Each structure stands twice: as structure tokens, then as C-alpha cells.
Amino acid sequence: MFRRAFWFTAGAAAGVWATTKVNRQLKKLTPESLAAQAADKAVEAGHRLKDFALDVKAGMSQREDELNDALGLHQDPDRPDNVTALPGPRRLRAIQNDKTSHSNLSYNRNEDH
């Protein structure tokens, strides 16, 4: 008699457990639940994309600073929008070399053909 009562109780408990499990899965598959899950995934993807964009922007800024240091370009705080400028002597030398190098050259159109 106790054996039958035990198996009856075990079967009833398994049936209740299986029924609740199935009902939970069915609720997850309703259109409202699927829409909420999709919205959550989209928000999560948006946050990941924003974090990636911020990382890229930080990396670009760091690399730009490294290149400015390597090229000798310095930020002038008085200039608007953080515009960088070449140092004075280097810029003047480049302009002077540009004027002298083109004055000695002659251009012959017949050489192109």
C-alpha cells in the first residue's frame, strides 16, 4: 500500500513539474515575449556598438597624438578647434625650397607625347 502511495505521489509531482515547465516554455514563445526578447537583444547590441565606437575614437585620438609627436606637430591652445600647425622654421624652409626648385625647371609639352 505504501509503495502504491509513493509512486502515485511521485507521478503526480512529476506531472505538476512537467506541466509548469511546458507552460513556462509556451509563455516564452508568445509574440509579446519574443518581441521583448528581440528588443532586449537590440538594446544590448546597441550598447556594444556604442562601446566599440568609443574604443575606436579613443584609439584614433591616441594614434593621432602619437603621429603629431612623431612629426613635430604641436597643439596650439589659442587656435580654434584644436587646429595643428607646422613649426615656423620647418614651414619656412619648405616654402623657400618650393620656390627655388620650380624656378630652374622648364616644362616641355613635347616630352609628354
Side-chain angles (χ1 to χ4, degrees):
M1 169 112 170
F2 288 109
R3 186 178 279 178
R4 287 184 184 174
F6 171 77
W7 286 113
F8 177 77
T9 306
V16 169
W17 177 79
T19 303
T20 56
K21 197 83 159 159
V22 168
N23 284 336
R24 285 183 191 160
Q25 292 299 324
L26 287 175
K27 286 181 183 178
K28 285 183 182 179
L29 296 176
T30 61
E32 295 84 14
S33 178
L34 291 175
Q37 289 176 6
D40 290 342
K41 295 283 184 179
V43 169
E44 184 180 332
H47 288 303
R48 286 185 191 165
L49 188 62
K50 179 183 174 186
D51 291 341
F52 175 72
L54 291 174
D55 288 344
V56 168
K57 186 175 180 181
M60 286 173 40
S61 177
Q62 179 183 0
R63 182 64 178 147
E64 184 178 0
D65 291 341
E66 291 172 1
L67 290 173
N68 285 338
D69 290 342
L71 295 174
L73 301 174
H74 302 288
Q75 295 281 345
D76 188 5
D78 296 333
R79 292 186 141 211
D81 299 326
N82 293 329
V83 176
T84 58
L86 287 172
R90 182 183 292 174
R91 185 169 181 224
L92 290 176
R93 271 185 267 138
I95 292 172
Q96 289 170 352
N97 288 341
D98 187 37
K99 288 180 182 176
T100 58
S101 64
H102 289 300
S103 63
N104 295 337
L105 296 176
S106 63
Y107 181 68
N108 187 353
R109 286 185 53 194
N110 292 331
E111 291 177 1
D112 291 341
H113 300 287

